[in-house]
Amino acid sequence: MTPVTDVQAESFGAFIERHEFFIVAGHKDPDGDSLASCLGVAAILRAKRKQYQLFSAGPFKRSEIRRYEALFPSKLPDYPPELLAAAGLIIVDCAERERLGAVNLDLSALDLFIIDHHLTAGAQGGQSVVDPAAPSAALLVQQLHERLAGSPDADTARALFFGLATDTSFFRFLTPRDGDTFRAAGRLVDYGADPRQISDEISTGHPFKTRKLLGVLLCRAQQTFGGRVAYTYETLEDTRRYGRDGRDSDSLYRLLLSAGKTEAVVFVRQETDTSCTAGLRSRGDLDVSAVAAKLGGGGHKNAAGLSTEGTFDALLSAILNALGDALSGNATERVVIGKTTRVLSL
């Protein structure tokens, strides 16, 4: 991680000074980092005596984020045109307006500032704080808060620690290069964050049905590419039987990545009759964000995802073939899910 620079902090400070009202939003289907980063930005705006509106298109499917749902309306009020025209838009944990999801107002003309840490964010110019080496957007927001508004209060510290913990799987994804991240987390503890309580909030409270669904997905899991990749999928019938609430994909990824010599895990979910989502996780140097980007998605080196029209078998086949290319440099045999399967042995 590269620490937030003076230029970046000054740019964000100047952006705040230019407006009196802000809309603060993260990506659709929010996670802990997205919501925590929004709350951290809101704390900076309060310290600067600015007005703001939090927004999330939802849905709030994860158990650990449900307590924040009431703070994030999925529909923006009908603001007076003159107020909206002079407003600033702050997007966190993503870099594109399109990833906000369904928004009932046209925000395309709003002055925009981006705070993001995804590899796919790219160069965003002066009105941004983007660092793909940062393990979470919440960590970037923490630095901005410390630079522009001083030490966060206990509630903000707890939220920022929650965001950092969820995006690093409670620091499991960090490397020897991340000493600054641990030092920043230590400051959040000093400000009032309780790591043990936050760990309980993240790991408990899942509906019992999700434990049964986890068993179904594990029983369905297969290996390919000589055991280097594990994959599984969720059907619409699974969703009807076990529900959408409190899904726990992180446990699924963790269990499958712990098996043998597994380097990557692919999980595809049929969301509707015509659309799918997919998550990819990896260990070591395998860059699953590059695989996801080939199919219209993105994310981090070891954690990425995408959504697309189609069916789970077609998407799973496409992802596995792209992973085969990444593992071998040039996969000559193709994987086809749902038909005769020829698996590349690497």
Side-chain angles (χ1 to χ4, degrees):
M1 181 193 74
T2 303
V4 169
T5 66
D6 290 340
V7 171
Q8 289 173 319
E10 291 167 3
S11 175
F12 189 49
F15 180 83
I16 292 174
E17 291 304 316
R18 283 203 302 275
H19 305 280
E20 293 301 319
F21 176 71
F22 299 85
I23 295 173
V24 183
H27 55 77
K28 63 183 178 180
D29 192 7
D31 57 11
D33 189 32
S34 175
L35 299 177
S37 300
C38 287
L39 294 172
V41 167
I44 297 172
L45 296 175
R46 288 196 300 273
K48 297 296 183 180
R49 301 186 183 279
K50 302 290 184 175
Q51 295 181 304
Y52 64 88
Q53 174 65 65
L54 297 171
F55 170 81
S56 175
F60 282 66
K61 294 185 289 190
R62 305 166 192 252
S63 298
E64 68 271 19
I65 65 173
R66 288 288 173 76
R67 66 186 184 280
Y68 293 125
E69 186 171 7
L71 301 175
F72 289 84
S74 59
K75 183 177 181 181
L76 293 169
D78 290 325
Y79 296 112
E82 61 274 13
L83 176 64
L84 196 60
L89 174 62
I90 301 173
I91 295 179
V92 301
D93 202 32
C94 66
E96 307 86 13
R97 287 180 171 89
E98 294 76 16
R99 286 204 64 206
L100 300 184
V103 186
N104 58 296
L105 297 178
D106 183 5
L107 306 180
S108 60
L110 269 61
D111 194 16
L112 174 64
F113 200 98
I114 292 169
I115 303 172
D116 192 19
H117 71 125
H118 291 93
L119 286 169
T120 48
Q124 295 292 331
Q127 292 199 159
S128 67
V129 176
V130 174
D131 181 9
S136 75
L139 183 58
L140 300 175
V141 173
Q142 176 188 348
Q143 294 178 77
L144 290 169
H145 196 300
E146 291 169 333
R147 298 284 289 276
L148 298 174
S151 302
D153 61 27
D155 286 342
T156 304
R158 283 192 287 269
L160 291 172
F161 192 101
F162 174 79
L164 175 60
T166 54
D167 243 33
T168 61
S169 191
F170 231 94
F171 309 107
R172 288 176 56 248
F173 294 154
L174 298 185
T175 72
R177 299 186 297 273
D178 290 309
D180 284 345
T181 300
F182 284 102
R183 286 184 281 274
R187 295 197 301 275
L188 292 175
V189 173
D190 292 339
Y191 302 146
D194 183 338
R196 183 167 57 183
Q197 180 185 22
I198 292 168
S199 176
D200 285 344
E201 291 171 356
I202 293 172
S203 60
T204 62
H206 299 284
F208 184 69
K209 281 187 175 183
T210 67
R211 308 299 90 184
K212 295 177 72 67
L213 174 60
L214 185 61
V216 170
L217 300 177
L218 288 171
C219 287
R220 187 177 289 155
Q222 301 288 328
Q223 289 181 307
T224 188
F225 303 120
R228 297 171 70 183
V229 175
Y231 65 88
T232 189
Y233 56 89
E234 179 181 329
T235 66
L236 286 175
E237 178 56 33
D238 296 329
T239 304
R240 283 190 285 268
R241 183 172 183 180
Y242 298 105
R244 295 178 179 271
D245 292 342
R247 287 166 165 172
D248 187 17
S249 302
D250 288 341
S251 293
L252 177 67
Y253 295 129
R254 185 165 59 251
L255 287 166
L256 291 177
L257 275 174
S258 69
K261 54 184 179 181
T262 304
E263 297 177 41
V265 171
V266 181
F267 173 40
V268 175
R269 177 184 289 129
Q270 190 79 46
E271 298 286 357
T272 70
D273 288 331
T274 59
S275 66
C276 298
T277 59
L280 297 86
R281 298 294 185 272
S282 67
R283 295 189 295 110
D285 293 329
L286 181 58
D287 185 356
V288 290
S289 72
V291 173
K294 289 181 179 180
L295 300 170
H300 311 292
K301 178 180 177 181
N302 298 121
L306 62 115
S307 59
T308 185
E309 297 300 308
T311 57
F312 75 86
D313 49 354
L315 178 57
L316 191 50
S317 298
I319 293 172
L320 292 175
N321 287 317
L323 270 172
D325 291 338
L327 289 167
S328 71
N330 183 22
T332 57
E333 296 191 48
R334 299 289 91 183
V335 178
V336 180
I337 305 300
K339 300 178 182 178
T340 301
T341 303
R342 299 191 348 166
V343 176
L344 175 67
S345 179
L346 299 176

